[in-house]
């Protein structure tokens, strides 16, 4: 019951947005695998990490029930279909670099918001809300880097998606806490902020 | 109570088979560590990953209670004894390559079945049953690869244990779902299938 | 309620000691990141791993509630402040090598005790108490190694912090189990033992 309530509460953002973010996350992960010439199982694995990894880490840390990625019957099949499409059309998809950068940045913002809002619903302190928002956003990339045995992106000074998520989650804590704005405008502001910071950082290299 | 019931339900396969699979998993992990010349702590760590890693990941994702690997008093001691034996007799054990390949393949099938059946008992959707079956089967190898900082086996096109587990878990979902066969024959069929695919793939390189 | 009770029970060691251990863990992690020239996000990440990583792994495996690292409002801010201090004063802090080795060894002992005591409170079998004590102690280092994609320290024969923690946790099981000594002296003995073993192993190389 508690789980259902929590899910309904967080999904102030319509489910279609939710699934879109998962598709983009899976697409980005799968494309990287396809570009490195991985087998179909590798593409599937990186698509799962990219689309569901952040949410899996978040839900395991919240420890209230099995992760939404496992209880919602739509998530895993969506990722599997995305992985298959990515595997067979990777050449064509790779040409959409610019579009992908923008979509990927929006996904980063979306995952930040979902992670932070879920932590707020669990009544965790503000610092933990920021932590879970950031970790949900970068979790997929972390898992990918770990599976590929490459030094986690996050420690370097490169295009800073972790920093963008951290700033976004902090702003969310202020807007939703002391200022007490309603969740939907807060989500819109934070997603725009995180995506903007991310796109800027990619453009500036 | 809930945990106990779930354990009893899944252990339609006798506990001796369960412990045997853990011993084989621990043995395979420990042997690899011994061959690489690791200290006894390394052999112990890889034996724990190989024997209990998949189950630990599965139970953490199911989020209902501490992992069976921790609550069952037989599991960790069994792995510790196996690690000690592996450490001192690794030279002799290494000669049993053929036997180990077959036992390892059976263990892969067994872990697939236990993971999938536990996900079914938790009433997760079919895609999650397949996911958890596969992850339980390859989890130990994943943890090992991560600890050794080597690119996860699973992304490569090599001897495909992840694919064998994925096919096995999918077949299980069909046999136990729409066809509604009883658990024990389903387990036997799936274990044979996964082990057969795995042995075949090792033989063909 | 259950969580609170458990926390109160384990915190037979005063909270100031607890926070000190987290600060030392975060400092050691952050210093390593600073020495490798990581960005501030990298220093923060390794400070979080070093200070809270072991406890996060422990609480996820105990599966009873969100990790204390997230529910206690003091932990994450403490780590963040420590990371900032480490980032700006890393040059100066690096000169305190000898002091850091001793503090780090005490922290290893402290994390061993907290992990083992929490496992005892969860009424896990002795082998699991030893396992969780050891894993809590080395968990932060494990996460760090994984994020840096370097082969986990633990598999090598080097300064053996895992072995020290393992011996300490085993001794704790005996002292607190069959001998039934009260928790505080047990904690003191085990922390001294683990720290001593660790300092000795660093001195001998």
């Amino acid at each position: 019951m508690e789980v259902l309530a929590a899910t309904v509460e967080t999904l102030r953002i319509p489910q279609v947005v939710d699934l879109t973010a998962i598709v983009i996350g899976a697409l980005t992960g799968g494309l990287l695998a396809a570009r490195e010439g991985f087998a179909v199982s590798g593409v599937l694995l990186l698509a799962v990490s990219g689309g569901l990894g952040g949410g899996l880490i978040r839900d395991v840390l919240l420890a209230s029930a099995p992760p939404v990625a496992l209880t919602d019957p739509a998530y895993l099949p969506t990722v599997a279909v995305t992985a298959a499409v990515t595997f067979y059309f990777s050449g064509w998809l790779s040409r959409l670099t610019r579009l992908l950068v923008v979509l990927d940045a929006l996904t980063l913002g979306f995952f930040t918001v979902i992670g932070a809002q879920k932590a707020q619903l669990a009544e965790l302190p503000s610092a933990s809300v920021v932590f879970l928002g950031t970790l949900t956003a970068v979790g997929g990339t972390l898992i990918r880097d770990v599976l590929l045995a490459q030094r986690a992106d996050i420690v370097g000074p490169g295009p800073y998606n972790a920093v963008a998520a951290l700033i976004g989650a902090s702003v969310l804590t202020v807007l939703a806490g002391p200022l007490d704005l309603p969740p939907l405008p807060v989500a819109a502001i934070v997603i725009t902020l995180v995506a903007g910071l991310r796109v800027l950082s990619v453009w500036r290299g």
Side-chain angles (χ1 to χ4, degrees), chain A residues 8 15 25 30 34 42 63 73 83 86 119 125 127 129 136-137 141 153 159-160 166 182 196 202:
Chain A
V8 170
Q15 173 150 28
T86 311
V129 171
T136 306
T141 316
D153 244 7
Y160 55 171
L166 186 66
V202 172

Side-chain angles (χ1 to χ4, degrees), chain A residues 43-193:
Chain A
V43 174
L44 184 57
L45 187 72
L46 292 204
V48 170
S49 321
L52 305 175
L56 282 173
I57 294 179
R58 175 200 64 209
D59 292 348
V60 163
L61 287 177
L62 287 174
S64 69
V68 186
L70 299 183
T71 53
D72 188 311
Y75 283 26
L76 274 167
T78 303
V79 166
V81 170
T82 308
V85 170
T86 311
F87 189 71
Y88 291 109
F89 300 97
S90 63
W92 185 81
L93 284 165
S94 293
R95 276 179 242 148
L96 307 173
T97 318
R98 277 201 194 176
L99 180 62
L100 280 176
V101 165
V102 174
L103 288 177
D104 195 37
L106 285 170
T107 302
L108 190 76
F110 176 80
F111 283 154
T112 307
V113 167
I114 286 280
Q117 284 189 340
K118 272 204 143 183
Q120 283 185 316
L121 283 171
E123 300 186 351
L124 294 180
S126 298
S128 303
V129 171
V130 173
F131 179 73
L132 274 182
T134 310
L135 198 57
T136 306
V138 303
T141 316
L142 270 184
I143 293 184
R144 182 199 71 198
D145 288 340
V146 165
L147 290 177
L148 298 184
Q150 56 198 12
R151 186 164 279 214
D153 244 7
I154 205 178
V155 301
Y160 55 171
N161 50 6
V163 176
L166 186 66
I167 294 173
S170 307
V171 167
L172 181 144
T173 321
V174 175
L175 294 180
L179 298 183
D180 201 21
L181 295 184
L184 216 52
V186 169
I189 294 171
V190 172
I191 291 175
T192 315
L193 175 66

